[in-house]
Amino acid sequence: MSDLIYPTLDLFLYALKTSLNTTDAETQKKQAAFLEQLPSDTQFSDPDIETEYLEITHPPQINFISQNKSLEGYYYTVRLNDTYGLQIDCSINNQTETQPAKSFTILKTEIEQKLNKQLVTIGKTWFLSGWLPENSSQNPEDIAKDSYNALFKDTNWQPVKGTFLEGKFFELWHSGNTTNNLNSDEHHVIIAIYPHRKSAEKAAEFYTDWMGLFCYRSKISWAYWQSRLIKESLLNHYKQIEENRKITNQSNSRQEKQNITTSRKILNNIDNILQQYTIDLINLSFQKQIIEINLSNYQLRLALIKEKAGQNNQLDFLEKFSELANKKYLPQITKDIENMQLGLQLLEDTINATRSRIEVEKAEREHNFQELVAVAGAGIATVSLVRETAKDCKDIFSQVRFFCNYPLSASLIVGIIVSFMVWWLRKQLR
């Protein structure tokens, strides 16, 4: 048997109020989506001020009504700078009798029914808790495992363990991956099994601390998975530019004579892609900054929780995540930024080479046009002169009857000969 007294399930859920380049209309839309999680008569107040922690409903804790009379719970909402935080708490309304671990399934169903599925979230944490009956011989880890399996059909039970206020804590998470740039699907669960009611009631005083800590954690995870999407976008941009570069390199001689329009089109295409590449590179650096700021806040909040809880609390398991961020997330993004900056240099070199090629082709066309003008000018001038003189059959032309009889044809022949000689002489002098 895996029995607990007063099994309680809390969902800590986070949604951005504002983000980079968010318009007022978009901010209002996000706010409206967040408010849809709460009862329609909720008194909501969110002044336009920068604040680390602000309760935004009156009263701060709003009891919810369930059709299942055996349940009780409440909503608690805050704003942490640019992020809304929502805690939904649901418990079995009985603090004397033991309940099976499978009761958590009922609690989760109740909470999910109260959520608006359209809400865009950046992260969430499921927090399961309860206390053992007096003189219980049950293994807290066995109860924690059964409670976890009641919510998630996941046989991979490999928790990080710790103690807090005499309770046994178990943390599990799967980094997973984010399939879009809106919702984070990270799987994060904490299970607390307290030895008695007094310990559980003391631990309940830390809910506001968990609200802040889990917010920083969610923002770190969200920023990292955003960086993976941005990196993928950067690689796609780079591939597109490489494809355009190969097209120009594979042009044969016949195509090169007609290549200036195609080259300009390719250059414009590369320019447009490069602009997106540069924006993505800036966004990648921005995600790194988000992780650095929130990692610092996470570590500070965890230190405050340790200080508040006092001695004999082993919260080192919560430091595993900050180690992950320090040893994997930040170095990975830093390396990606360095590599992508090298890629940016290569792309700029490609653009410069394409521009140079266009200038060479343009110069050759202008030179060829000048040649044509010079040769044609010499021919036309010759035709005009010869035609007028031959028509009157004067000077040398009087000796050649063909010029007198056919002045137009004769002038054209002479013009062609002169044009050819001019072209030949200019070619020899180049």
Side-chain angles (χ1 to χ4, degrees):
M1 294 290 291
S2 296
D3 294 335
L4 276 176
I5 297 177
Y6 201 53
T8 300
L9 180 62
D10 289 274
L11 173 63
F12 293 87
L13 180 150
Y14 302 95
L16 287 178
K17 174 187 176 181
T18 58
S19 56
L20 189 65
N21 298 326
T22 300
T23 65
D24 290 341
E26 291 170 336
T27 299
Q28 292 174 4
K29 185 177 179 180
K30 290 180 180 180
Q31 184 182 94
F34 181 75
L35 285 175
E36 287 183 10
Q37 316 302 310
L38 306 174
S40 58
D41 60 348
T42 298
Q43 297 183 39
F44 178 82
S45 176
D46 183 17
D48 188 17
I49 58 174
E50 186 172 338
T51 176
E52 184 177 347
Y53 196 100
L54 177 68
E55 295 175 338
I56 51 179
T57 62
H58 182 76
Q61 184 172 299
I62 304 170
N63 294 330
F64 69 68
I65 300 174
S66 173
Q67 294 180 350
N68 187 340
K69 300 303 180 181
S70 67
L71 304 181
E72 64 178 1
Y74 62 84
Y75 303 92
Y76 176 71
T77 57
V78 298
R79 178 163 67 82
L80 304 101
N81 292 319
D82 61 351
T83 305
Y84 287 126
L86 170 64
Q87 175 193 2
I88 304 180
D89 175 282
C90 189
S91 308
I92 300 294
N93 189 12
N94 187 327
Q95 298 188 23
T96 57
E97 298 177 350
T98 59
Q99 307 292 332
K102 64 181 181 181
S103 299
F104 284 107
T105 304
I106 301 173
L107 302 180
K108 186 184 181 190
T109 300
E110 182 71 20
I111 289 176
E112 289 180 335
Q113 287 176 348
K114 298 186 178 301
L115 291 175
N116 177 358
K117 298 297 190 288
Q118 301 302 315
L119 180 66
V120 174
T121 64
I122 63 169
K124 59 187 177 183
T125 293
W126 292 97
F127 195 106
L128 296 75
S129 63
W131 66 83
L132 297 172
E134 189 175 355
N135 300 321
S136 173
S137 60
Q138 299 177 92
N139 184 343
E141 183 167 354
D142 291 339
I143 299 175
K145 183 177 181 180
D146 289 343
S147 300
Y148 178 77
N149 290 334
L151 295 189
F152 307 100
K153 305 305 179 183
D154 184 354
T155 58
N156 186 24
W157 174 258
Q158 295 181 339
V160 182
K161 305 172 187 178
T163 60
F164 182 69
L165 300 176
E166 301 180 84
K168 300 298 182 182
F169 270 54
F170 306 88
E171 182 185 32
L172 301 99
W173 82 78
H174 301 298
S175 297
N177 91 42
T178 302
T179 56
N180 57 63
N181 62 350
L182 297 176
N183 287 288
S184 172
D185 63 353
E186 186 191 33
H187 181 68
H188 182 227
V189 181
I190 290 183
I191 305 170
I193 308 298
Y194 301 105
H196 44 69
R197 177 172 182 167
K198 183 179 179 181
S199 175
E201 289 178 343
K202 179 65 176 177
E205 298 175 4
F206 286 79
Y207 275 140
T208 55
D209 297 289
W210 299 135
M211 175 69 85
L213 187 73
F214 298 153
C215 178
Y216 301 136
R217 187 189 195 286
S218 293
K219 294 180 79 171
I220 291 168
S221 294
W222 178 78
Y224 178 71
W225 290 113
Q226 290 297 298
S227 75
R228 301 306 86 202
L229 293 172
I230 294 170
K231 179 184 177 182
E232 183 179 348
S233 177
L234 283 165
L235 291 174
N236 288 334
H237 291 325
Y238 190 87
K239 289 177 183 177
Q240 292 177 31
I241 294 179
E242 276 295 294
E243 290 173 0
N244 281 278
R245 186 182 64 81
K246 288 178 181 178
I247 291 174
T248 60
N249 290 341
Q250 292 173 354
S251 297
N252 56 42
S253 300
R254 182 182 62 82
Q255 291 173 322
E256 286 178 354
K257 296 178 181 179
Q258 304 172 348
N259 201 30
I260 192 166
T261 301
T262 302
S263 296
R264 286 187 184 278
K265 184 177 180 181
I266 291 174
L267 180 61
N268 290 335
N269 193 21
I270 293 176
D271 270 331
N272 292 334
I273 298 173
L274 185 60
Q275 288 179 14
Q276 294 300 317
Y277 188 98
T278 305
I279 292 172
D280 280 349
L281 191 54
I282 293 172
N283 285 338
L284 189 59
S285 298
F286 183 66
Q287 300 308 319
K288 180 185 176 183
Q289 292 177 4
I290 290 176
I291 293 176
E292 291 172 339
I293 292 170
N294 286 281
L295 179 57
S296 175
N297 290 335
Y298 181 92
Q299 293 169 333
L300 178 61
R301 174 63 66 178
L302 184 55
L304 291 174
I305 292 174
K306 288 181 177 180
E307 182 180 350
K308 182 178 176 180
Q311 301 296 323
N312 302 320
N313 291 286
Q314 298 176 7
L315 288 175
D316 293 346
F317 71 96
L318 291 173
E319 294 180 351
K320 297 290 184 181
F321 178 74
S322 60
E323 291 176 5
L324 175 67
N326 262 320
K327 294 180 179 180
K328 178 183 177 182
Y329 293 175
L330 287 175
Q332 180 67 62
I333 297 177
T334 300
K335 190 64 177 178
D336 290 339
I337 291 172
E338 292 173 356
N339 291 337
M340 295 306 167
Q341 284 177 336
L342 289 175
L344 179 62
Q345 182 62 51
L346 291 174
L347 298 180
E348 289 175 343
D349 290 344
T350 299
I351 284 187
N352 292 334
T354 305
R355 281 203 178 100
S356 297
R357 180 171 186 167
I358 290 176
E359 291 302 319
V360 169
E361 292 173 352
K362 183 179 178 182
E364 288 182 354
R365 289 203 170 192
E366 289 178 350
H367 177 76
N368 291 338
F369 179 74
Q370 291 173 356
E371 289 286 327
L372 178 62
V373 170
V375 171
I380 292 171
T382 302
V383 169
S384 177
L385 177 63
V386 171
R387 182 182 178 186
E388 290 301 320
T389 307
K391 184 170 61 175
D392 296 333
C393 204
K394 298 177 179 179
D395 301 329
I396 190 175
F397 298 106
S398 61
Q399 305 299 320
V400 184
R401 301 308 302 171
F402 176 78
F403 285 95
C404 296
N405 296 333
Y406 305 99
L408 178 59
S409 299
S411 60
L412 289 174
I413 292 172
V414 174
I416 291 172
I417 294 172
V418 171
S419 297
F420 176 79
M421 291 178 65
V422 170
W423 171 80
W424 184 81
L425 287 173
R426 291 179 65 91
K427 184 177 180 181
Q428 296 302 312
L429 292 175
R430 286 176 62 180

